[in-house]
Amino acid sequence: DRAARNVLLDKDISNGALREPILKVTSLMRSMEYVTHAPIIEFDHVEDKIGQVAYEFDSVFSFFLPEHKPNGPVGNAALVSPEATLLDTPKILGLLNGLNSMIRFGLSSCLGGLADSKRPCRERPYLPSSDSVLEFNKIYNRLQNDFSFETFEGPSLKGGLDNKWVGNSFFNHNGRSTIDPLDSNNHVLYFPVVSSEARFFSPPIENSSSKGNRVVVKFRYLATGSNVGGCIGYVDGTGDPSTQTWALCDNGNDMQSNGSWISCQFVVPLQLGSFRIAITDRRSPGKDAYFDDIQIGTGGTTTCTG
């Protein structure tokens, strides 16, 4: 922008215009490729922090008066600057804190952030997060709704997630990529913390049959003991991922690994227009149930084979 860099224009009092605070926030989100995993973007007390929030003006005259003249060179030159109505010291600092927080943590409450988030304030550059984040110049994959497979190798092929998995109610998930206990050149999924309910959900997947064949989720499973508690199933892809229906569980009947990798698949119910894959390790001490090579296919039965 030549005009923005031209120092001669700095001497022209009538040059330029202020941008409204809410537009500064949305401009940052658009230009820095804001991505959220929640269905609704929720701000919190934004008007108190920056003086403005969409559709919440105090009167029919919007957020500021058209004849406002700020103190200083602009007012002395008999010029008006309506947007300057919102510029007092607390609002300026609130905007700077909010933008800085979004860059560092994503949309959260951390260090004056613009949202009400109960997630911990941890800076996680270059790593996928279940929070809403700015993904400009990232080195990992974008959010993908067209899930087809998951190898747990990650973009670096040194272990990680190929897709954007989320936790219960879009909070942080508890799944981790680790080295395959039986093959040091392969990476797989395991859970360092057990949970009776799923806290690891895939992106939404379209449930579309092909030539009469049902959609199935195929995967490999390994347990280093008996009845270790690994479970996989599904949840409705249109809602909050907070509950699940288990399709296969390592409880002595459905999935018996016996220390070797087995191949399994389960059928997704036809009544679900879309679904998310749900996975967990339900029994202590954990770290003994492993999943790998999750993919979408077609078939007609729920089964496991050695």
Side-chain angles (χ1 to χ4, degrees):
D1 187 341
R2 293 182 179 180
R5 292 179 293 167
N6 191 331
V7 295
L8 296 178
L9 293 177
D10 292 341
K11 302 297 183 181
D12 184 358
I13 299 300
S14 63
N15 178 66
L18 287 175
R19 180 176 289 182
E20 301 173 40
I22 192 64
L23 294 184
K24 292 180 181 179
V25 174
T26 56
S27 293
L28 176 72
M29 297 168 71
R30 288 173 176 171
S31 62
M32 295 293 105
E33 300 181 17
Y34 173 86
V35 171
T36 180
H37 307 293
I40 299 176
I41 300 173
E42 294 189 34
F43 292 96
D44 183 63
H45 298 295
V46 173
E47 186 172 9
D48 296 334
K49 297 172 182 176
I50 69 174
Q52 191 179 29
V53 65
Y55 312 117
E56 294 293 337
F57 39 81
D58 295 329
S59 73
V60 295
F61 300 104
S62 189
F63 297 96
F64 29 72
L65 299 176
E67 68 273 12
H68 178 72
K69 295 182 180 180
N71 295 326
V74 175
N76 295 339
L79 299 174
V80 297
S81 179
E83 292 82 359
T85 306
L86 304 178
L87 297 184
D88 56 35
T89 300
K91 299 297 190 301
I92 294 173
L93 293 177
L95 177 63
L96 293 175
N97 289 338
L99 297 181
N100 178 64
S101 173
M102 189 180 301
I103 293 170
R104 295 178 59 182
F105 305 105
L107 186 59
S108 70
S109 60
C110 304
L111 299 183
L114 303 178
D116 181 14
S117 173
K118 297 180 177 61
R119 300 173 177 86
C121 297
R122 295 179 296 177
E123 296 181 68
R124 304 175 66 189
Y126 311 122
L127 289 177
S129 168
S130 62
D131 294 327
S132 306
V133 293
L134 302 177
E135 294 195 343
F136 179 75
N137 203 26
K138 57 202 169 300
I139 64 171
Y140 55 90
N141 292 346
R142 292 175 180 270
L143 176 66
Q144 299 177 1
N145 289 331
D146 52 345
F147 179 100
S148 58
F149 63 88
E150 174 66 64
T151 65
F152 302 104
E153 295 296 337
S156 67
L157 301 181
K158 296 180 180 179
L161 301 179
D162 306 318
N163 300 272
K164 292 299 183 103
W165 297 74
V166 299
N168 184 287
S169 297
F170 301 100
F171 279 69
N172 291 330
H173 62 70
N174 64 344
R176 298 293 182 268
S177 176
T178 188
I179 296 176
D180 185 338
L182 303 183
D183 182 359
S184 60
N185 295 317
N186 184 43
H187 290 86
V188 297
L189 170 71
Y190 87 112
F191 297 91
V193 179
V194 299
S195 173
S196 60
E197 302 295 328
R199 295 182 182 176
F200 191 74
F201 297 90
S202 74
I205 304 166
E206 184 180 358
N207 186 14
S208 57
S209 60
S210 175
K211 297 181 180 179
N213 292 321
R214 302 274 294 277
V215 171
V216 298
V217 176
K218 300 181 178 182
F219 62 97
R220 296 196 305 140
Y221 177 73
L222 168 68
T224 56
S226 60
N227 302 338
V228 300
C231 282
I232 187 169
Y234 56 86
V235 65
D236 190 338
T238 61
D240 185 337
S242 58
T243 59
Q244 71 289 307
T245 300
W246 299 123
L248 289 168
C249 285
D250 183 359
N251 56 11
N253 297 314
D254 295 337
M255 297 192 303
Q256 297 187 48
S257 166
N258 298 319
S260 300
W261 283 102
I262 59 175
S263 297
C264 302
Q265 68 179 39
F266 67 85
V267 179
V268 180
L270 287 173
Q271 62 266 29
L272 294 178
S274 66
F275 66 96
R276 296 177 186 265
I277 302 168
I279 313 177
T280 194
D281 184 352
R282 302 179 69 184
R283 290 186 180 172
S284 296
K287 302 181 183 179
D288 48 10
Y290 302 88
F291 295 83
D292 196 18
D293 296 331
I294 300 173
Q295 56 187 301
I296 305 303
T298 57
T301 59
T302 296
T303 184
C304 286
T305 58

